[in-house]
Amino acid sequence: MDFSSLTDALSSQNYAKIPDICETLMLQVAAQGIAFQDDWPYAIHLLGHIYVNDINSARFLWKTIPVAIKESRPEVAAAWKIGQNLWTRDYAGVHDAIHEFNWSPEAHCIVAAFSELYTKRMFDLLVSAYSTISIQDAALFLGMNEDDATNLGRGACRHSLVRD
Amino acid sequence: MNLNASTNSVEALVAKIQGLSGGTARDLAHLHSLLKESEDLLVSSDSTRPSPASFLSELDPSKHSLGYLYFLEASTSRPISKEGSGEVALSISRFIDACKADQIRLAPDKFISVCRRFKDQVLLAEAPIRGVAPMLIAVRKLQISSEQLTPLHPDFLLLCLLAKCYKTGLSVLEDYIYEVDQPRDFFLYCYYGGMICIGQKQFRKASELLHNVVTAPMSTINAIAVEAYKKYILVSLIYAGQFSTSFPKYTSSVAQRNLKNFSQPYLDLAISYSTGKISELESCVQMHKEKFEADNNLGVVKQVVSSMYKRNIQRLTQTYLTLSLEDIANSVELKSSKEAEMHVLQMIQDGEIYATINQKDGMVRFLEDPEQYKTCQMIEHIDSSIQRIMALSKKLSAMDEHISCDPLYLAKVGRERHRFDFEDFDSVPQKLNM
């Protein structure tokens, strides 16, 4: 299986392309009748869908992964945990899922990039959705401790954060 | 003697294929008639004769596509063991990839038959994902234009559903279909297409596709329409928040009379949805849970329930400018104001509501839709919609003209017009009331 386009995308940090590259490659390889499941980079594939916020596709991919692989490859399960928390909108749980696992070097870059993207997305959401919010909640949603959250809040001068 | 003679004829046929395939259109037509005449030669259950498969190595699927197709079809018509299924599937998938579209379009039925066998083998091997990419290629090669619905469309969508490759299936659903040959293809295409759209949460498109199944002309009730109607009810509730049991005028009388008889639990669900009360809805779901599960619709039913929370919150925005989280929780039957806050936050995230939450006071302030319709994006969107509608309008006019010249139509209209000839009408009233 020729993963060169995938490794190129990873090394050039073009993470948004990963889902399409993986899907196309998977269908091609499957069409050739190759039993690809054992060697397939499911963790990266899942993280690719998560990066572009396509949780639907991540869910369907998770459903097709053989049980044996789900049980024997903890990184795959850890990648799905992020997706699962995104799906159930457990905003704080996403941060926990990101930080509680010891990611491989390959996965680490894309997880770090997603974490940054997600924190920014959550920040934008909080700024537009809340006129006031407690520091605890803000810290939870942003995956930070309360001091960092307060500093971030002061930076966004349109809104005031209120201590509970 | 006979064996030698037939082998020789087959070899002669192979030679003809090799010779004529690269030629002119007339050469191809000649080859096609030769192949049609030699069908009996190829399809023989006599095991002493060499199988057509053995001749395949002498043909190149990319150059001799038509001839290869005939031989492939003949060789796969024999029963295949489960062990052999992998190889057969592979050989067909390679053919689909390599073949020339203009050659296989000369024998569409054979191509469809081979592709369907491929689908059967892939399903037998319990690996539907193996069929997705080849079947998509097959659909595109068989189609004369993207507006044509081929018999392979539903097979492709079925493979996508089974392999959970919903996004790939969507790519085919984006084409607008204007030509349909077989009604059954259309029913299945719209039904499977509806299911794919539901999976991708594109409920508007799902609703359109399922609507097409329910209202399509049919002379007898069919199972596809029955299942489609059930999903149609659910999707209408999610997308439009309501469901009307009256059918549009163009629905067949068969559908109008029979469809409701098979979907009583779903109609009950629609009635409880219209009360706007979560408790009523949930008890209805509980009552019919087994039926929904048996129909594989429980997942969608759960989405119907979540949509009611959203709809009830949205309805509040029409009455209130600000409302406390606690009042929202009570009104919408949520357990706590924190739950209400999360619901509102999710709806803000999804763009389903415009509001700001004031956590300190526990209040939500509802806002107007900030869309001003002034951005470049919006103008492009409106412009492309106008272009699309103009193109559709032209298509409709062309269809209308085409039908008005259709002999069947004219015959029917002529018969009816006869009853109302000019002489039949009195041009003056019978009585004048002064």
Side-chain angles (χ1 to χ4, degrees):
Chain A
M1 286 183 277
D2 179 14
F3 289 119
S4 54
S5 47
L6 183 61
T7 32
D8 284 342
L10 277 170
S11 53
S12 61
Q13 297 183 337
N14 213 339
Y15 302 124
K17 286 212 171 137
I18 290 180
D20 283 337
I21 294 177
C22 285
E23 290 288 316
T24 318
L25 195 57
M26 192 187 235
L27 290 177
Q28 265 174 18
V29 159
Q32 289 160 22
I34 302 176
F36 61 89
Q37 283 87 341
D38 286 335
D39 301 318
W40 192 257
Y42 280 114
I44 304 288
H45 195 168
L46 279 169
L47 290 168
H49 283 310
I50 290 170
Y51 187 81
V52 299
N53 207 22
D54 185 0
I55 311 303
N56 258 333
S57 300
R59 253 183 352 127
F60 290 131
L61 179 62
W62 175 252
K63 285 187 189 184
T64 62
I65 300 178
V67 176
I69 295 187
K70 285 182 190 176
E71 289 172 355
S72 63
R73 304 226 292 233
E75 194 169 64
V76 175
W80 169 240
K81 195 150 179 228
I82 302 178
Q84 194 175 34
N85 282 321
L86 283 166
W87 180 251
T88 54
R89 315 257 205 158
D90 185 350
Y91 300 114
V94 173
H95 291 290
D96 294 334
I98 291 176
H99 291 117
E100 71 190 10
F101 190 78
N102 205 359
W103 302 99
S104 68
E106 264 187 337
H108 181 80
C109 305
I110 183 172
V111 173
F114 171 70
S115 176
E116 223 183 281
L117 201 64
Y118 178 69
T119 307
K120 170 140 201 327
R121 215 189 296 155
M122 283 311 296
F123 183 70
D124 290 339
L125 175 63
L126 294 185
V127 159
S128 67
Y130 283 92
S131 57
T132 66
I133 183 173
S134 72
I135 294 186
Q136 281 108 316
D137 277 350
L140 264 177
F141 287 150
L142 297 171
M144 308 173 168
N145 59 46
E146 294 189 6
D147 291 325
D148 290 337
T150 318
N151 291 334
L152 201 61
R154 289 217 185 90
C157 44
R158 277 193 291 148
H159 298 265
S160 56
L161 291 182
V162 175
R163 225 172 209 298
D164 247 357
Chain B
M1 206 59 208
N2 263 339
L3 175 64
N4 274 337
S6 68
T7 316
N8 284 339
S9 327
V10 177
E11 281 184 1
L13 187 60
V14 169
K16 279 279 178 197
I17 295 173
Q18 288 165 333
L20 289 170
S21 291
T24 63
R26 235 185 0 164
D27 287 338
L28 267 181
H30 177 51
L31 174 62
H32 192 196
S33 34
L34 275 177
L35 285 166
K36 279 197 268 206
E37 285 163 25
S38 322
E39 273 202 72
D40 293 334
L41 203 59
L42 295 173
V43 184
S44 161
S45 50
D46 186 349
S47 52
T48 55
R49 284 198 194 169
S51 84
S54 51
F55 291 96
L56 283 175
S57 51
E58 295 174 45
L59 295 172
D60 180 346
S62 60
K63 288 194 211 136
H64 315 129
S65 308
L66 186 59
Y68 198 100
L69 176 61
Y70 268 78
F71 274 80
L72 188 60
E73 203 262 342
S75 69
T76 55
S77 61
R78 301 170 178 204
I80 306 164
S81 64
K82 191 163 181 187
E83 296 78 40
S85 68
E87 248 187 71
V88 168
L90 199 54
S91 64
I92 300 179
S93 123
R94 285 196 184 127
F95 169 67
I96 293 174
D97 198 35
C99 70
K100 265 209 192 132
D102 51 351
Q103 283 197 29
I104 54 107
R105 281 186 204 146
L106 294 172
D109 292 336
K110 285 230 177 284
F111 186 67
I112 291 166
S113 154
V114 161
C115 290
R116 288 219 163 120
R117 269 179 219 150
F118 170 64
K119 177 200 86 178
D120 293 337
Q121 294 307 313
V122 147
L123 291 178
L124 194 66
E126 292 178 12
I129 194 171
R130 290 178 58 180
V132 172
M135 201 54 104
L136 180 58
I137 297 174
V139 162
R140 294 292 181 218
K141 283 191 180 173
L142 185 61
Q143 260 182 337
I144 300 176
S145 81
S146 66
E147 298 177 355
Q148 183 199 20
L149 184 72
T150 67
L152 292 179
H153 273 81
D155 294 316
F156 168 67
L157 290 179
L158 177 63
L159 286 172
C160 287
L161 279 166
L162 292 171
K164 304 209 192 305
C165 295
Y166 284 69
K167 212 158 149 201
T168 318
L170 262 187
S171 63
V172 136
L173 289 168
E174 280 162 9
D175 295 335
Y176 292 114
I177 300 287
Y178 292 101
E179 287 171 49
V180 175
D181 265 331
Q182 290 295 328
R184 189 163 175 273
D185 297 334
F186 181 70
F187 279 117
L188 279 176
Y189 168 79
C190 289
Y191 179 65
Y192 291 145
M195 284 173 74
I196 288 191
C197 289
I198 292 175
Q200 291 291 96
K201 312 239 177 280
Q202 293 196 10
F203 293 110
R204 185 178 71 92
K205 197 162 173 80
S207 175
E208 280 171 22
L209 286 164
L210 294 168
H211 176 94
N212 285 343
V213 185
V214 167
T215 57
M218 55 182 110
S219 48
T220 54
I221 198 74
N222 66 65
I224 307 168
V226 167
E227 293 309 308
Y229 189 59
K230 294 175 185 171
K231 292 193 160 65
Y232 181 56
I233 296 174
L234 297 176
V235 168
S236 303
L237 291 176
I238 297 175
Y239 174 64
Q242 59 186 5
F243 177 74
S244 160
T245 51
S246 62
F247 291 95
K249 271 195 287 195
Y250 46 82
T251 316
S252 69
S253 50
V254 157
Q256 294 203 34
R257 282 200 302 266
N258 292 302
L259 282 178
K260 291 187 198 165
N261 302 339
F262 297 94
S263 341
Q264 203 49 52
Y266 298 84
L267 293 167
D268 289 343
L269 192 73
I271 293 171
S272 63
Y273 193 94
S274 64
T275 64
K277 289 192 162 40
I278 279 284
S279 41
E280 292 247 5
L281 187 65
E282 296 217 316
S283 62
C284 184
V285 171
Q286 227 17 65
M287 202 164 46
H288 297 296
K289 193 169 172 186
E290 273 157 26
K291 188 73 178 45
F292 294 143
E293 228 166 346
D295 288 339
N296 272 326
N297 283 330
L298 192 58
V300 190
V301 168
K302 291 191 175 150
Q303 292 186 58
V304 170
V305 175
S306 349
S307 81
M308 178 174 256
Y309 285 105
K310 287 189 198 173
R311 228 162 265 289
N312 285 346
I313 294 179
Q314 275 169 341
R315 208 175 293 132
L316 293 170
T317 69
Q318 291 167 358
T319 317
Y320 298 93
L321 278 177
T322 59
L323 196 57
S324 73
L325 285 168
E326 207 171 315
D327 283 337
I328 294 178
N330 288 335
S331 160
V332 172
E333 293 180 62
L334 287 166
K335 292 195 210 76
S336 65
S337 53
K338 194 69 183 169
E339 253 192 59
E341 188 187 324
M342 287 301 110
H343 264 98
V344 172
L345 181 61
Q346 286 170 24
M347 286 173 72
I348 296 174
Q349 191 181 28
D350 294 341
E352 289 163 346
I353 197 177
Y354 302 102
T356 50
I357 305 170
N358 185 333
Q359 227 187 39
K360 188 172 88 165
D361 300 335
M363 298 291 291
V364 177
R365 186 196 186 89
F366 298 124
L367 306 167
E368 291 285 325
D369 181 353
E371 180 60 66
Q372 298 251 298
Y373 298 95
K374 287 198 289 202
T375 61
C376 283
Q377 264 175 343
M378 187 49 81
I379 293 181
E380 270 172 38
H381 179 67
I382 295 178
D383 190 55
S384 72
S385 297
I386 292 174
Q387 299 296 333
R388 223 169 7 101
I389 293 174
M390 281 167 60
L392 182 62
S393 170
K394 271 197 195 127
K395 255 236 150 17
L396 273 174
S397 311
M399 276 185 167
D400 188 47
E401 271 180 45
H402 185 76
I403 293 182
S404 357
C405 308
D406 189 90
L408 278 174
Y409 169 77
L410 288 170
K412 185 151 194 199
V413 163
R415 259 182 268 134
E416 282 176 17
R417 276 246 174 92
H418 187 67
R419 287 191 271 138
F420 299 104
D421 270 345
F422 181 69
E423 288 80 11
D424 288 346
F425 288 113
D426 285 335
S427 48
V428 291
Q430 297 279 41
K431 287 185 206 180
L432 280 173
N433 287 323
M434 294 293 223

